[in-house]
Amino acid sequence: MATIEDVARVAGVSTATVSYVINDTRRVSDPLRLRVLRAMEETNYHPNNVARSLRVGQTKTIGLIIPDSANAFFAEVGRGLQDRSHSRGFSVILCNTDGDPSRESAYIDLLINKQVDGLVFVASGDNAASTRVASTHGVPIVVVDRHLAGIEVDEVVADNLKGAIMATEYLLKLGHTRIGCITGLSDVSPSADRAKGYRQTMKAAGLELDETLIIKGDFQCRSGGFAMQTLLALPSPPTAVVACNDLMAIGAISTACAAGLRVPQDVSIIGFDDIGLAAVTNPPLTTVAQPKYAMGTVAADLLVERIRNPQAPYRRWLLPTELVIRQSCATPIRP
Amino acid sequence: MATIEDVARVAGVSTATVSYVINDTRRVSDPLRLRVLRAMEETNYHPNNVARSLRVGQTKTIGLIIPDSANAFFAEVGRGLQDRSHSRGFSVILCNTDGDPSRESAYIDLLINKQVDGLVFVASGDNAASTRVASTHGVPIVVVDRHLAGIEVDEVVADNLKGAIMATEYLLKLGHTRIGCITGLSDVSPSADRAKGYRQTMKAAGLELDETLIIKGDFQCRSGGFAMQTLLALPSPPTAVVACNDLMAIGAISTACAAGLRVPQDVSIIGFDDIGLAAVTNPPLTTVAQPKYAMGTVAADLLVERIRNPQAPYRRWLLPTELVIRQSCATPIRP
DNA sequence: CGGCGAGTGTTAAACGTTTCAGCCCTCAAC
DNA sequence: GTTGAGGGCTGAAACGTTTAACACTCGCCG
């Protein structure tokens, strides 16, 4: 590969001049600039960004650490992040952790060694996550989707509490009173917030909280099915259930149908996330949408702002959630 | 950030020695090695990989260029690629093109400037794609999912032809004779191969090919719905349809249900890909599975082999597809 | 006792950029 | 004719590593 020196030789100038025309960082007279450009063509010159990075101390690269890029939710966030990062001049290195804390810190180390300019991190929920975030030795980091306690950092999260409240209120308004809830693992904040929203709304409606109606899932499709089985086996099963994410909602619908129930006639099910396929499940899923793509773009913006200005005050973005009504919820037949 | 020089100073040795213990690339006596390790601790040393890369001419990074990382299929491929690459010591930079040729070449240039050691590329189907692949100036590249004509390169593709044959034969075996097909854009090879498999099998079964039963889609969910509308509006609609991917199959099911038909009783629909949610649609989707994750891991393997040995003969991996029978296909009521 | 090889350490060049400091012009002003 | 200013270009240091080449110390053998 041709180097800047080859270009300089061909053009009959110094490497400094070549650099100046490449980066447009100082006036160069027109005849010379032309000769340089021609020489670049001729030698098929591609600037070596790693040499550049070494010199200027910036790689124009950020790291994305997420549990699973194949998960519809994270995939969408990642897409938003990549798009916006690119338009801001940054590339992104993708790292999957499956929520494993040891892989999280391994990737953090790796990325720091690679001299990324910043990190966006969807942390697993364990209580040491905060300390991992703090271990970046000054590399800017923004935390997405999950709130981490006890640490000052840029954050972008969806308004999960409000979302769960909207979902529950919607079911109440339809006339349901016996409403179940399939939660996620309690140590990640979105999951906890959604469960909280459900509880809070039920209480506010003057309904006593039946703990047997609250089943713990793990955000995977399958667990929604199991939870639904448990709920249906109850002496007095719920007429509606709020699932804390779409995958579990879909699993729940699947199980309900297999049990011979009709959704929404016999049981209403509402999800959370609004993943792409929620619109085309059968029945189409009523759910509360998270601004997944926007979470990615906002994270990118937040991160490059911080890279530009490391001492700016920390910011926390709370993005709105939205109820999207489709066909998986209806008025109960026997209220 | 501490440099190797800081470590050397603290340990009272030369930077060479520090480098040797870090990389374990030459014997160093135990007492010295210990002093060095201690000094690394003390200074909280993180090796600077961009300096290293500049020196050794390797970044241990590969680029992934795909249409859309949020698409379930590509997301899974990407996941496989990232996992395997990481275990082979490589990081991956993610680039989304939405199938836009100009973005494809822009990303290729960017990644080359970043000195990636290799590229994996899911090309858009346009006929200049091959020349883009050839424009990497010697950077190893492996092409995934889509066959590119007129160019020698490592490839990993699924056996789409065989898959489509299996799908069509399955419907024939169930007793269908009037079978429709929703294809994708014809200029990408998987799409073309699937349509070919369908045609070929119908002909082999001695059925005349009714071109009105073949509708062109675009692999998006919505287009499956439109195609289904067209098919249902036919004077003599098909009793079964093979959709060339799952998204279109799901769209088709959705439309069929909306039209009051029951799947599979009134119309059978088979998909292609076996994306994650195919198992939990209503009804669960019968489809032919592609080894998506494996395509990613194989691509990673192929690429690092080529990086190791640039003059090895080119290889083409044809990964098997597999019929997975669920509940969206059945024997026709009126054959 | 001279010399040789093995073992362990250091010196310094090289990787390809960017950018500071300085040099050489030219030209205007006096 | 001298001076000063400023425009345009170059030389070379620096970024943080790796690694070839060399230096020193032993122990051993002829």
Side-chain angles (χ1 to χ4, degrees):
Chain A
M1 287 261 247
T3 77
I4 202 174
E5 209 156 347
D6 298 326
V7 177
R9 194 175 327 110
V10 170
V13 300
S14 72
T15 62
T17 303
V18 178
S19 174
Y20 290 134
V21 351
I22 292 175
N23 302 302
D24 198 20
T25 176
R26 238 181 67 170
R27 253 211 78 65
V28 172
S29 67
D30 282 347
L32 231 49
R33 135 173 286 110
L34 236 64
R35 258 164 54 202
V36 168
L37 290 175
R38 201 144 20 217
M40 287 172 55
E41 281 289 333
E42 191 175 327
T43 55
N44 198 338
Y45 174 67
H46 278 260
N48 182 325
N49 271 348
V50 357
R52 169 167 226 285
S53 291
L54 176 59
R55 174 60 223 234
V56 305
Q58 270 215 44
T59 52
K60 288 292 186 181
T61 303
I62 68 181
L64 171 61
I65 303 179
I66 48 177
D68 179 14
S69 60
N71 172 294
F73 172 72
F74 299 124
E76 191 82 20
V77 175
R79 182 68 214 267
L81 182 82
Q82 201 266 308
D83 284 355
R84 180 61 58 91
S85 297
H86 180 246
S87 67
R88 295 274 224 146
F90 288 80
S91 303
V92 1
I93 295 182
L94 176 65
C95 305
N96 286 292
T97 65
D98 287 320
D100 177 352
S102 70
R103 277 155 82 185
E104 288 185 357
S105 33
Y107 273 127
I108 289 180
D109 273 354
L110 175 64
L111 291 169
I112 287 181
N113 290 356
K114 279 196 179 287
Q115 308 290 114
V116 294
D117 297 332
L119 249 35
V120 357
F121 188 28
V122 179
S124 76
D126 83 313
N127 44 20
S130 300
T131 76
R132 276 197 294 290
V133 168
S135 72
T136 64
H137 308 110
V139 177
I141 188 167
V142 2
V143 167
V144 175
D145 183 44
R146 307 186 176 175
H147 174 69
L148 259 32
I151 188 169
E152 277 237 69
V153 74
D154 291 303
E155 268 186 6
V156 19
V157 296
D159 196 342
N160 293 294
L161 184 64
K162 183 97 165 287
I165 292 173
M166 288 190 297
T168 314
E169 279 179 347
Y170 175 64
L171 293 175
L172 288 169
K173 210 175 67 183
L174 283 177
H176 295 275
T177 53
R178 192 148 179 82
I179 302 174
C181 182
I182 307 177
T183 71
L185 302 168
S186 54
D187 51 0
V188 294
S189 71
S191 173
D193 284 351
R194 291 173 199 174
K196 184 173 161 198
Y198 159 81
R199 289 187 136 93
Q200 184 172 312
T201 309
M202 292 295 278
K203 242 180 277 178
L207 296 168
E208 95 292 5
L209 226 49
D210 183 347
E211 290 292 336
T212 65
L213 288 182
I214 303 175
I215 313 280
K216 188 176 230 169
D218 64 2
F219 272 36
Q220 299 302 312
C221 192
R222 168 168 311 192
S223 76
F226 293 148
M228 196 65 190
Q229 275 173 358
T230 311
L231 287 173
L232 293 179
L234 251 33
S236 161
T239 62
V241 359
V242 359
C244 284
N245 78 349
D246 284 352
L247 287 179
M248 295 195 299
I250 290 170
I253 290 179
S254 186
T255 296
C257 291
L261 296 176
R262 291 163 309 160
V263 178
Q265 294 88 337
D266 297 322
V267 57
S268 290
I269 296 175
I270 191 168
F272 209 112
D273 281 355
D274 194 29
I275 59 178
L277 290 187
V280 293
T281 55
N282 188 2
L285 191 63
T286 293
T287 187
V288 1
Q290 284 196 81
K292 303 170 286 298
Y293 188 88
M295 289 171 74
T297 60
V298 169
D301 286 338
L302 240 42
L303 189 54
V304 339
E305 297 306 336
R306 176 144 312 280
I307 290 169
R308 287 230 181 95
N309 180 5
Q311 24 253 352
Y314 291 107
R315 292 191 286 177
R316 175 161 195 241
W317 276 68
L318 189 66
L319 299 186
T321 46
E322 188 186 354
L323 181 65
V324 359
I325 296 176
R326 287 193 271 254
Q327 300 165 34
S328 65
C329 298
T331 304
I333 293 179
R334 9 147 212 167
Chain B
M1 283 261 250
T3 77
I4 203 174
E5 209 157 347
D6 299 326
V7 177
R9 193 176 327 110
V10 170
V13 300
S14 72
T15 62
T17 303
V18 177
S19 175
Y20 290 136
V21 350
I22 291 174
N23 302 302
D24 199 20
T25 177
R26 233 182 72 171
R27 252 210 80 63
V28 0
S29 67
D30 282 348
L32 231 48
R33 136 172 286 111
L34 236 64
R35 257 166 54 203
V36 169
L37 291 176
R38 201 144 20 216
M40 288 173 55
E41 281 288 334
E42 191 175 328
T43 55
N44 199 337
Y45 174 66
H46 278 260
N48 182 325
N49 272 348
V50 356
R52 170 169 225 286
S53 291
L54 177 59
R55 172 61 220 232
V56 304
Q58 271 214 42
T59 53
K60 288 292 186 181
T61 304
I62 68 181
L64 170 61
I65 303 179
I66 48 178
D68 179 14
S69 61
N71 172 296
F73 172 72
F74 299 125
E76 191 82 19
V77 175
R79 181 69 215 263
L81 182 82
Q82 201 266 309
D83 284 356
R84 182 59 59 89
S85 297
H86 180 246
S87 66
R88 294 274 225 148
F90 288 79
S91 302
V92 0
I93 295 181
L94 175 66
C95 305
N96 286 292
T97 65
D98 285 320
D100 176 353
S102 70
R103 276 155 84 184
E104 288 183 359
S105 33
Y107 273 127
I108 289 180
D109 273 354
L110 175 64
L111 290 170
I112 287 181
N113 290 356
K114 278 197 179 287
Q115 308 289 116
V116 294
D117 297 332
L119 248 36
V120 354
F121 187 27
V122 179
S124 76
D126 84 312
N127 46 20
S130 300
T131 76
R132 276 195 295 289
V133 168
S135 72
T136 64
H137 307 111
V139 177
I141 188 167
V142 1
V143 167
V144 175
D145 183 44
R146 307 187 177 173
H147 174 68
L148 258 33
I151 188 170
E152 278 238 69
V153 73
D154 291 303
E155 268 186 7
V156 18
V157 296
D159 196 343
N160 293 294
L161 184 64
K162 183 97 166 286
I165 292 175
M166 289 190 298
T168 314
E169 280 180 346
Y170 175 64
L171 293 176
L172 288 169
K173 211 176 66 183
L174 284 177
H176 296 275
T177 53
R178 193 148 179 81
I179 302 174
C181 183
I182 306 177
T183 72
L185 302 169
S186 54
D187 52 357
V188 295
S189 71
S191 173
D193 284 351
R194 291 172 199 175
K196 184 172 161 199
Y198 158 81
R199 290 187 134 93
Q200 185 172 311
T201 309
M202 292 295 279
K203 241 180 279 180
L207 297 168
E208 94 293 5
L209 224 50
D210 182 348
E211 289 293 335
T212 65
L213 289 181
I214 303 176
I215 313 281
K216 190 175 229 171
D218 65 0
F219 271 36
Q220 299 302 312
C221 191
R222 167 169 312 190
S223 76
F226 293 148
M228 195 65 189
Q229 276 173 359
T230 311
L231 288 173
L232 293 179
L234 251 33
S236 163
T239 62
V241 359
V242 358
C244 284
N245 78 349
D246 284 351
L247 287 180
M248 295 195 298
I250 290 170
I253 290 179
S254 185
T255 296
C257 290
L261 296 176
R262 292 162 308 159
V263 178
Q265 294 88 337
D266 298 321
V267 56
S268 290
I269 296 174
I270 191 168
F272 208 115
D273 282 355
D274 194 29
I275 59 177
L277 289 188
V280 293
T281 54
N282 187 7
L285 190 63
T286 294
T287 188
V288 1
Q290 284 196 81
K292 303 170 288 297
Y293 188 89
M295 291 172 72
T297 61
V298 169
D301 286 339
L302 238 42
L303 189 55
V304 340
E305 297 306 336
R306 177 145 311 281
I307 290 169
R308 287 229 181 95
N309 181 6
Q311 24 252 352
Y314 291 107
R315 292 190 287 177
R316 175 161 194 244
W317 276 69
L318 188 67
L319 299 186
T321 46
E322 189 187 353
L323 180 66
V324 358
I325 297 176
R326 287 195 270 254
Q327 299 165 36
S328 66
C329 298
T331 304
I333 292 177
R334 7 145 217 170

